[in-house]
Amino acid sequence: MSWNSYIENLISSGHVQKAAIYGLDGSKWAASEGFEVSKDEFDAIKAGFNDTKNFSMSGMRVGQTKFFFLSGSDDILRGKKETTGVHVAKTEQAIIIGYYDQASTSNLCATQVDCMADHLKKSGY
C-alpha cells in the first residue's frame, strides 16, 4: 500500500475533502492534488504540538488558509474557518492533516484522521 492510498482512504470516507501526510522531518509522503503545506506552515504545525501559544494568538495556517485555532494537545491540533476546518494528528514519525468543508463536520473528519493516526502508530509509524 503506497502513501497515496492512505490519502485516498481518507478522502473516500466522504468526511475528509483534502489530506496530506508529512514525515516529522518535513518531507511530504503524500497529499491530495493541489493541497500543499509550505515549509513555514509545517514548521509551525510541528512546533504547535509542543506549544499552542502562537496558534492561540495568531491562528493556524494550513494550505495558505488561516484557521481560527480551536484546541490542541501533544498529538492533535484543530482549526476552523467558517464552514471549513482542519484536524491534524501526530504519530511517532508522521503528521496527518485532514481538511473538511461544509460536506462534513469537524467530528467526522477527526474520527477519520485519528483512526488513520492510530493505525500508523500500531504499524510503527
Side-chain angles (χ1 to χ4, degrees):
M1 196 162 166
S2 75
W3 289 112
N4 285 333
S5 61
Y6 283 85
I7 298 298
E8 292 165 8
N9 183 284
L10 286 169
I11 293 170
S12 71
S13 73
H15 302 300
V16 178
Q17 280 63 47
K18 300 176 190 174
I21 302 173
Y22 285 82
L24 290 180
D25 62 357
S27 62
K28 180 171 67 173
W29 294 1
S32 301
E33 186 174 332
F35 188 55
E36 294 295 325
V37 177
S38 72
K39 179 179 178 353
D40 289 342
E41 290 173 340
F42 177 83
D43 291 344
I45 289 168
K46 185 176 175 184
F49 287 110
N50 295 320
D51 183 2
T52 61
K53 180 175 53 176
N54 286 339
F55 288 154
S56 297
M57 295 185 319
S58 304
M60 215 175 132
R61 291 195 178 273
V62 179
Q64 286 68 49
T65 301
K66 182 179 177 181
F67 295 90
F68 176 76
F69 178 66
L70 296 174
S71 63
S73 68
D74 294 354
D75 57 359
I76 299 292
L77 299 170
R78 295 178 188 93
K80 185 162 179 64
K81 179 180 180 181
E82 298 169 3
T83 60
T84 67
V86 290
H87 186 86
V88 183
K90 183 177 81 165
T91 69
E92 301 302 317
Q93 297 182 35
I95 292 176
I96 305 165
I97 303 168
Y99 168 89
Y100 65 92
D101 62 17
Q102 65 275 5
S104 188
T105 66
S106 60
N107 289 340
L108 294 171
C109 178
T111 298
Q112 296 301 314
V113 173
D114 290 345
C115 182
M116 175 139 323
D118 289 343
H119 171 74
L120 291 180
K121 287 175 184 176
K122 288 176 185 170
S123 300
Y125 288 98

